[in-house]
Amino acid sequence: MKPARTRFAPSPTGHLHLGGARTALYAYLLAKQTGGQFLLRIEDTDVKRTVAGAEQEIIDGLRWLGLDYDEGPDIGGKFAPYRQTERRAIYQRHAKVLMDKGRAYPCFCTPEKLEKTRQEQTKRKENPRYDGTCRNLAPDEAEKRIANGETHTVRFKMDQEGTTTAHDHLRGDIVTDNKQLNDQVLIKSDGLPTYHLAAMVDDHEMQITHVIRGSEWLGSFPLHVNIIRAFGWDEPTWVHLSVFLKPSGKGKMSKRDSAEANKDGHSVFIKDMEELGFTPEGVINWAALMGWGVAEDDVMTLNQMIERFSIDSLTPSPAAINFQKLDHFNATHIRLFSTEDLAARLKPYFTREGLTVNDGTLQKIIPLIRERLTTLDDCVAFGAFFFKDAVSPAPEDLVAKGLDAKRSAEVAKKCLEILSGLSSIDHATAEPALRSYVEESGLSPNQVFGLLRVATTGQKVSPPLFESMEIVGREKSLRRLENAIEILEKI
Ligand code: GLU
């Protein structure tokens, strides 16, 4: 396949979400696989909807996901600028080309008039559409009104006869009766282009070979191919992706569904993913398979995806968001990271809890906690005690099952005596010594080791006890046991 040039073209109107990230991912994969380029273009011509900081959030999100673009607003490129509000003159020039060809015209209808027509049409149960008032104005009259400074837009002159056939790579030919198509605005009264004109012009100028975008654009698809054909340009390959449905599979994600997901430690916004302990590898893998028909459970890195990706195996059927799968892919990738890599990724989650992390200790605990992590921040629940000076076990947790506090204190004292007498509390030394005590005492391993676990870690669930004690170290472990005895004696 020839090198593909693809683009991600978000409007900076809100948070980068899962749907956008998946669109960007597929565009990235196709470009990289074919040795082409992937670029970022900011579509900010709807200035009223532009949100401060949204562009930066998109850039940060793509970087975090590892979807590095070859050209973009912050890095430039051969076709700069990559922010549409900075390309105003280019669109004006192109609108003029269409007007000269008789495929666009100035429209002087006021918003009030348009609204009135809309209301009348709705009353008559007709689909609202432009009524064509300015479509056939004599050119010299139009010119005169423009020269007089009359406010106007520029509209596309849609063929009213025949049909339009638009070809989508996943859905085949889509045929529309031209009578259903409207004379859409290309240039607004503020001089800025609409998406319809700006995106077509930019995709052409930036030599985009494949337009991969959300299926919400299927409705304007016939208009878009008509605009391109009116210019006489070659069309890109069009790929309209599947829609995402809420986890129940019924309808699209709403604000309320997002709030539900948040309560559950999930999110559809990329900015939240890191904070919630998700890895870019997990998120990308999860997103990739929603709409790409490889085997359901396929664990892949970005590089493996580049090798295996094909737009032919994308599916147009809607995909329900399944956060359990995100957990699964995240946990799976966590198991694949090297110890060093995982240590570096976990450290910030400990430090954000105010813990001072010793790097040597962190490396040592990785084998003990790795298998227990679904999200990176789970490391705190399992491993914070390694980095604390002391732990504060709940008194009732220290009381061994089936024993009272007094008897539990005696057991703890015996353990302390045994451990203090050992030359080292490495697990290989401590474990056999304590196990023979369990046997002699007639207590169960659960009773003794449960108590020791709570004393050493401060919690009932922890990584393996003896390995943990070894890493906590002799001095601290003994001190924690003494503290447990004190607590038990006070009950
Ligand atoms: N600016 C459009 C959006 O954010 C882009 C659609 C496209 O990729 O062409 O939905």
Side-chain angles (χ1 to χ4, degrees):
M1 199 171 155
K2 279 208 335 249
R5 277 182 62 84
T6 62
R7 87 296 191 277
F8 178 46
S11 300
T13 52
H15 300 304
L16 176 62
H17 55 73
L18 184 59
R22 186 192 59 170
T23 304
L25 170 65
Y26 290 161
Y28 171 89
L29 292 176
L30 181 64
K32 295 296 134 183
Q33 181 181 65
T34 55
Q37 293 87 34
F38 167 61
L39 58 100
L40 172 64
R41 182 173 76 222
I42 298 293
E43 302 205 324
D44 57 350
T45 59
D46 196 348
V47 286
K48 284 197 286 303
R49 293 184 60 223
T50 296
V51 170
E55 178 182 320
Q56 193 55 46
E57 191 185 310
I58 292 164
I59 290 175
D60 294 344
L62 293 178
R63 293 251 156 80
W64 183 76
L65 291 166
L67 305 180
D68 295 331
Y69 40 89
D70 303 294
E71 299 164 30
D74 56 333
I75 55 172
K78 201 166 149 201
F79 301 94
Y82 292 90
R83 211 175 274 120
Q84 288 184 328
T85 46
E86 294 165 17
R87 301 171 61 79
R88 188 187 286 247
I90 299 173
Y91 311 121
Q92 295 278 357
R93 199 173 69 231
H94 282 88
K96 175 95 178 33
V97 169
L98 286 184
M99 288 203 274
D100 290 348
K101 286 177 165 228
R103 293 306 315 270
Y105 60 91
C107 170
F108 303 92
C109 296
T110 61
E112 295 74 31
K113 177 184 178 288
L114 295 171
E115 177 55 25
K116 195 159 160 261
T117 312
R118 201 187 62 81
Q119 282 177 8
E120 285 164 6
Q121 289 170 334
T122 316
K123 228 188 259 162
R124 291 198 300 270
K125 301 214 165 14
E126 293 169 12
N127 279 339
R129 63 201 326 274
Y130 181 58
D131 66 1
T133 306
C134 298
R135 185 176 164 110
N136 297 314
L137 280 184
D140 51 342
E141 191 198 334
E143 253 161 57
K144 222 193 288 162
R145 290 173 74 171
I146 293 175
N148 282 341
E150 206 174 317
T151 307
H152 65 282
T153 60
V154 176
R155 285 185 185 271
F156 186 61
K157 197 172 205 171
M158 204 35 235
D159 270 341
Q160 289 177 323
E161 303 299 315
T163 57
T164 297
T165 302
H167 185 81
D168 174 79
H169 192 77
L170 307 183
R171 298 155 209 264
D173 283 350
I174 299 171
V175 184
T176 313
D177 192 337
N178 287 348
K179 286 202 180 61
Q180 314 228 323
L181 301 176
N182 208 352
D183 283 2
Q184 293 285 359
V185 172
L186 300 178
I187 301 275
K188 297 176 283 184
S189 57
D190 62 4
L192 279 168
T194 55
Y195 168 75
H196 307 306
L197 178 68
M200 298 314 112
V201 167
D202 286 345
D203 287 339
H204 172 73
E205 293 252 306
M206 295 177 181
Q207 298 174 8
I208 298 302
T209 57
H210 295 73
V211 169
I212 300 177
R213 62 181 185 179
S215 59
E216 67 270 26
W217 294 110
L218 275 171
S220 330
F221 185 26
L223 166 71
H224 295 162
V225 300
N226 273 295
I227 293 174
I228 290 181
R229 290 169 194 169
F231 278 114
W233 296 333
D234 287 338
E235 275 179 60
T237 299
W238 300 94
V239 185
H240 292 90
L241 299 174
S242 59
V243 285
F244 281 157
L245 302 177
K246 60 171 91 176
S248 66
K250 292 184 192 120
K252 290 205 203 166
M253 279 297 276
S254 66
K255 280 220 170 94
R256 222 180 66 208
D257 300 314
S258 295
E260 282 300 308
N262 268 95
K263 271 193 234 152
D264 192 29
H266 294 105
S267 178
V268 289
F269 300 120
I270 302 305
K271 72 171 176 60
D272 297 336
M273 296 291 190
E274 186 171 13
E275 202 181 321
L276 293 170
F278 292 103
T279 61
E281 289 80 356
V283 174
I284 286 277
N285 202 156
W286 175 57
L289 297 186
M290 280 189 263
W292 174 11
V294 277
E296 268 276 288
D297 205 40
D298 235 329
V299 175
M300 289 178 281
T301 61
L302 197 52
N303 281 335
Q304 289 164 332
M305 285 181 214
I306 293 175
E307 269 169 40
R308 295 175 55 184
F309 185 70
S310 149
I311 49 170
D312 297 336
S313 51
L314 295 180
T315 143
S317 11
I321 296 176
N322 180 338
F323 289 114
Q324 280 67 48
K325 280 199 183 149
L326 170 59
D327 291 345
H328 163 76
F329 282 114
N330 204 60
T332 309
H333 279 281
I334 286 177
R335 282 151 189 66
L336 297 174
F337 299 148
S338 71
T339 300
E340 228 168 48
D341 184 10
L342 184 54
R345 295 182 195 233
L346 295 182
K347 194 169 175 176
Y349 294 92
F350 286 117
T351 47
R352 86 176 178 188
E353 295 297 317
L355 296 162
T356 308
V357 174
N358 174 300
D359 290 323
T361 305
L362 180 54
Q363 297 254 351
K364 281 194 222 149
I365 71 172
I366 298 258
L368 303 191
I369 63 171
R370 184 198 288 271
E371 295 296 320
R372 295 165 187 255
L373 305 178
T374 299
T375 48
L376 294 173
D377 62 335
D378 285 346
C379 67
V380 176
F382 291 118
F385 70 88
F386 287 111
F387 304 108
K388 289 184 177 163
D389 281 336
V391 291
S392 328
E396 64 275 17
D397 291 346
L398 282 169
V399 180
K401 225 178 166 190
L403 307 181
D404 60 10
K406 188 160 168 279
R407 180 79 181 100
S408 301
E410 283 166 18
V411 172
K413 273 189 201 157
K414 188 68 196 165
C415 291
L416 178 64
E417 191 190 310
I418 295 168
L419 289 171
S420 313
L422 297 174
S423 55
S424 123
I425 65 156
D426 287 358
H427 72 278
T429 316
E431 185 169 355
L434 289 166
R435 281 199 187 278
S436 27
Y437 162 60
V438 168
E439 259 170 49
E440 285 159 21
S441 67
L443 294 163
S444 75
N446 258 352
Q447 288 173 308
V448 178
F449 300 153
L451 194 171
L452 270 179
R453 178 187 308 282
V454 177
T456 314
T457 68
Q459 55 204 50
K460 290 206 279 194
V461 181
S462 81
L465 173 64
F466 300 105
E467 282 83 350
S468 296
M469 277 172 44
E470 174 176 335
I471 296 172
V472 168
R474 179 192 168 91
E475 199 197 320
K476 264 200 211 170
S477 294
L478 297 184
R479 227 190 301 135
R480 289 181 187 188
L481 197 45
E482 283 162 5
N483 181 44
I485 295 167
E486 256 176 56
I487 297 174
L488 282 166
E489 284 177 338
K490 275 192 208 138
I491 290 179

